[in-house]
Amino acid sequence: MIFTSQLETALMAKQGWFNTDRLQYMLEQFRLLYTCVRNLNEVLVKRSLINPDPYKLETRISDIGPIESSPFTENEDPIILGKRFSDYEMMLDFICTYFRFSVENITLQRIKNLMEFIEVFDWQNLSSNHAKSNTRALATALTKARTNAPSVTISLINDSQEKCAKCCRVIDGCLRELADFQKEMYKGNIRKDIFEHPDFDKAKAFSSPDAEMAEIKRLYAKSTGKKTFYTDLVQEIIDEDQGPQKEFLRQKLLDKLQIRIQEAHKETKTVNSHELLMSAVFSLGVLSSILGQLSVKLSDNFDLLFSVKKSLFKKFLEALRQALGIKEKERICTIVVTDHKSGSKSQQTINVNTFLAQISKLAHVYAGIASKGNEYNKINAAKEDDALIFLNRQIQENQKLFTTIDALDEHFKSHVEVLQRPKVKGLKIDLSSYRNAIISVNKKRGEYVSAVEEIEQMRKLGINS
C-alpha cells in the first residue's frame, strides 16, 4: 500500500532526526540543568542550609528512578532536603553521563519516569508556600542562602534557578514531543509486525473495524511478546484504515511527521563554528563543582599530612594572624608524579596554599562560565582564535592538574601518620568524574576543530556551507 510505504519512510526519517538532533538538544538541556543544580547544591552545603548525604559515594544508579517526594516537617529540612537534592543531582549525573539518548532507549515508560523526575522540584513556581514539601523546602533554603550573601552568590543563585526552570520547561516539551512520536512508532510497528505476519488474514481484518481489532489482538502476543497493548492507539490504526475520515487522518499523520523533518533540515543546513566552540567552552562549567569538591577534600588531607590539629587556641592564633595580616606559614610537600603515557616518574614540589588557591580560582572561573556570567561573555565576544587558545590552555592545565591530584591521592595514603590514615578522604571517585569531564571538553574541542577544517576544505573547493 502507498500509505504504508510513505508512513514507514516518514517514521524512519523522523527517528533519525530525533536521534541526531532533538534528543541531543535535550541532552544539552539536561547537562545545563545538572551544572546549575550542582552550583546550587554547593552553595546550600557551604552555607550549612542542607546536610550533605553521607552515603552519596556509595549510591549506584542503573536506570531512571523516582526521587522521594513524601511530606516532611520544616525541622527536617536540612537532612531530608539534603538527601533528596543530592539524589536529584546524582540522577542528573547518571542521565548526562550514562543514559543513552535515542528513540530506541527512551521508551514510553522511561518518558513517564523522566517527566516525573523533572517535576520533583517545581522550578517555575519555587515558593515557601508551595503545596509540595520538596519545592517548599528548596525555596525556603534558597531564600535563606541569599540573606547577607555576596552579590556574586546571589547572582549565581538567581541565574541557576532561572536556568533550571527554563531547562525543565524545554525538556518537558521535548519529552512530550517524543512521547507523541513513540505512539506513532508503536502504531507503525504494529503495521509492520502484525500486518506483514504470514498468519494475518487481511481479507478478514479489513472486512470491518471490529474484525481488524480482533485480528490484531489475536496475533499481538505472538508478534510483539509481552509489550503492553494500547487499545486507544490500535483504534487509531483502525480509524486510519477503515474510518469515515481515513484519508484525512492519513494525510494529517504524514504532514505531522513531514513538517518537523523539513524544519530540522533547515536548522541543520548550516554549521556555526562559533556555536560549536562556545559549546566546548560552556562544557568547562561542569569542572567548577568537581574542583570545588576536590579542593575541600585536598585541604582536609593536607591538614592530616601536616598534622594540623585546630584547637581553640590554634583557631584563635589563626584569626589573629588574619586580623594582623600575617601570612600563614607555607607548607611544602614533594610528591612523585607518574606520566601515564610514558610511565616515567618525576618529583614535583607543591606549595600547598598556592596550589589550593589555583584550584579555587579555576573553580570560580568555571562557575562564571557555567552560569554564563562575565567570564563566559568575555570569551563569547572574543575572536575565535583567542577563544580556542583559552580552551586549549584550560584543557592542558586541567590535564596537568589531574595528574598532580592523582599523585597526591597516593601520597596521602602512604605519608599521612598511620593513626590518621583512616581519616584520609579518598579522591578516586572525584578523579573519575574529573577525568570524564576533561574528556568531554576535549571531545567538543575536537568537534569544533573538525568542523572548521571541513568548512575550510569546502571553501577551497568553492562550496559555500
Side-chain angles (χ1 to χ4, degrees):
M1 292 175 64
I2 296 175
F3 169 69
T4 303
S5 177
Q6 291 175 328
L7 179 60
E8 186 175 347
T9 301
L11 285 171
M12 288 177 62
K14 186 74 173 286
Q15 182 177 357
W17 173 72
F18 263 106
N19 285 339
T20 60
D21 189 303
R22 195 62 172 165
L23 294 183
Q24 297 311 307
Y25 173 63
M26 185 166 74
L27 172 58
E28 290 299 323
Q29 295 300 308
F30 268 113
R31 284 173 174 164
L32 177 55
L33 177 62
Y34 174 48
T35 299
C36 293
V37 167
R38 289 192 77 160
N39 288 339
L40 291 174
N41 190 49
E42 189 176 335
V43 170
L44 293 175
V45 169
K46 280 184 177 179
R47 305 213 70 187
S48 301
L49 292 168
I50 60 174
N51 296 343
D53 180 10
Y55 304 105
K56 180 178 180 179
L57 298 180
E58 299 176 13
T59 304
R60 294 292 179 267
I61 301 173
S62 59
D63 203 349
I64 309 298
I67 304 296
E68 183 61 50
S69 58
S70 58
F72 57 93
T73 63
E74 188 175 339
N75 293 335
E76 299 174 298
D77 280 5
I79 297 173
I80 295 183
L81 177 61
K83 173 68 169 65
R84 294 182 183 181
F85 204 53
S86 176
D87 290 344
Y88 187 74
E89 180 193 330
M90 285 192 295
M91 185 63 73
L92 282 171
D93 186 15
F94 168 78
I95 291 170
C96 295
T97 309
Y98 302 105
F99 192 70
R100 185 160 55 93
F101 279 73
S102 68
V103 172
E104 297 84 353
N105 189 51
I106 309 181
T107 59
L108 284 170
Q109 181 58 49
R110 284 200 172 109
I111 290 172
K112 180 176 180 291
N113 293 344
L114 283 167
M115 293 187 80
E116 289 176 352
F117 169 72
I118 62 172
E119 292 172 356
V120 169
F121 296 101
D122 188 356
W123 291 103
Q124 297 180 70
N125 299 291
L126 280 183
S127 167
S128 55
N129 297 319
H130 200 279
K132 295 183 178 179
S133 292
N134 286 349
T135 302
R136 184 170 62 249
L138 179 59
T140 301
L142 291 176
T143 299
K144 291 179 180 177
R146 293 184 182 94
T147 306
N148 298 324
S151 57
V152 174
T153 301
I154 295 174
S155 177
L156 175 64
I157 293 172
N158 293 340
D159 188 66
S160 297
Q161 182 178 324
E162 182 182 338
K163 283 185 171 63
C164 285
K166 184 178 179 181
C167 287
C168 287
R169 189 164 58 248
V170 172
I171 291 169
D172 180 77
C174 290
L175 288 172
R176 291 180 187 279
E177 193 176 346
L178 178 59
D180 188 51
F181 176 67
Q182 284 286 21
K183 292 174 183 178
E184 299 305 332
M185 283 290 290
Y186 174 86
K187 290 161 57 182
N189 288 333
I190 285 182
R191 291 184 179 278
K192 184 178 179 181
D193 297 337
I194 297 181
F195 288 14
E196 296 179 9
H197 194 281
D199 294 342
F200 184 72
D201 190 338
K202 293 184 179 180
K204 181 179 179 181
F206 297 131
S207 63
S208 71
D210 290 340
E212 185 174 357
M213 176 67 80
E215 194 67 8
I216 292 173
K217 285 183 176 179
R218 184 176 70 84
L219 293 173
Y220 187 83
K222 186 185 294 185
S223 302
T224 64
K226 296 182 179 180
K227 291 183 179 179
T228 306
F229 185 87
Y230 296 101
T231 305
D232 55 335
L233 297 180
V234 174
Q235 186 59 53
E236 288 183 17
I237 295 174
I238 296 170
D239 291 340
E240 291 162 1
D241 288 342
Q242 303 188 58
Q245 292 185 303
K246 71 175 187 178
E247 295 301 330
F248 169 76
L249 293 174
R250 288 181 173 187
Q251 191 58 50
K252 182 181 177 181
L253 173 56
L254 292 174
D255 288 345
K256 180 172 68 172
L257 295 171
Q258 190 67 23
I259 288 170
R260 182 61 66 183
I261 296 166
Q262 291 174 347
E263 289 177 352
H265 177 70
K266 292 176 183 177
E267 290 172 3
T268 59
K269 190 174 181 179
T270 59
V271 176
N272 189 320
S273 61
H274 182 75
E275 287 183 2
L276 283 175
L277 179 57
M278 291 311 298
S279 174
V281 170
F282 181 69
S283 64
L284 288 168
V286 175
L287 297 172
S288 174
S289 53
I290 296 174
L291 289 174
Q293 291 174 1
L294 281 169
S295 178
V296 172
K297 290 185 176 182
L298 284 167
S299 180
D300 291 343
N301 288 349
F302 277 125
D303 286 349
L304 291 172
L305 182 66
F306 290 93
S307 299
V308 173
K309 298 177 182 177
K310 291 191 176 181
S311 62
L312 286 174
F313 181 67
K314 288 207 171 189
K315 289 180 180 179
F316 169 74
L317 289 179
E318 185 179 297
L320 186 61
R321 277 200 308 270
Q322 291 177 352
L324 298 175
I326 301 173
K327 289 185 178 180
E328 185 180 349
K329 182 180 178 181
E330 290 187 350
R331 296 180 292 174
I332 306 293
C333 73
T334 302
I335 62 174
V336 177
V337 178
T338 303
D339 187 319
H340 294 290
K341 291 183 180 179
S342 64
S344 62
K345 297 181 182 294
S346 61
Q347 287 191 335
Q348 180 178 340
T349 301
I350 295 176
N351 182 311
V352 175
N353 295 344
T354 303
F355 181 70
L356 293 176
Q358 175 199 1
I359 295 176
S360 296
K361 182 180 178 182
L362 283 175
H364 177 74
V365 171
Y366 298 148
I369 291 174
S371 61
K372 292 193 174 180
N374 292 333
E375 291 84 355
Y376 179 88
N377 292 331
K378 287 177 183 177
I379 304 165
N380 193 26
K383 295 178 181 178
E384 279 191 25
D385 288 345
D386 293 334
L388 180 59
I389 290 171
F390 169 81
L391 181 62
N392 288 334
R393 187 167 62 247
Q394 300 310 307
I395 292 173
Q396 292 169 3
E397 188 169 353
N398 280 283
Q399 287 172 336
K400 182 179 178 182
L401 187 58
F402 172 86
T403 303
T404 300
I405 297 175
D406 190 33
L408 276 168
D409 187 41
E410 298 300 324
H411 187 80
F412 292 137
K413 292 172 182 175
S414 58
H415 286 74
V416 168
E417 291 182 6
V418 176
L419 293 177
Q420 297 279 51
R421 285 181 191 174
K423 298 179 182 179
V424 173
K425 294 184 177 178
L427 306 175
K428 289 300 181 187
I429 294 177
D430 299 275
L431 283 168
S432 177
S433 299
Y434 192 19
R435 181 180 60 249
N436 290 337
I438 295 171
I439 291 172
S440 177
V441 175
N442 205 13
K443 181 181 177 183
K444 287 181 175 292
R445 188 265 304 267
E447 291 172 357
Y448 163 76
V449 172
S450 296
V452 170
E453 289 176 353
E454 183 178 346
I455 292 170
E456 180 61 22
Q457 288 296 323
M458 293 176 72
R459 187 189 63 79
K460 289 179 180 179
L461 293 171
I463 302 172
N464 292 323
S465 174

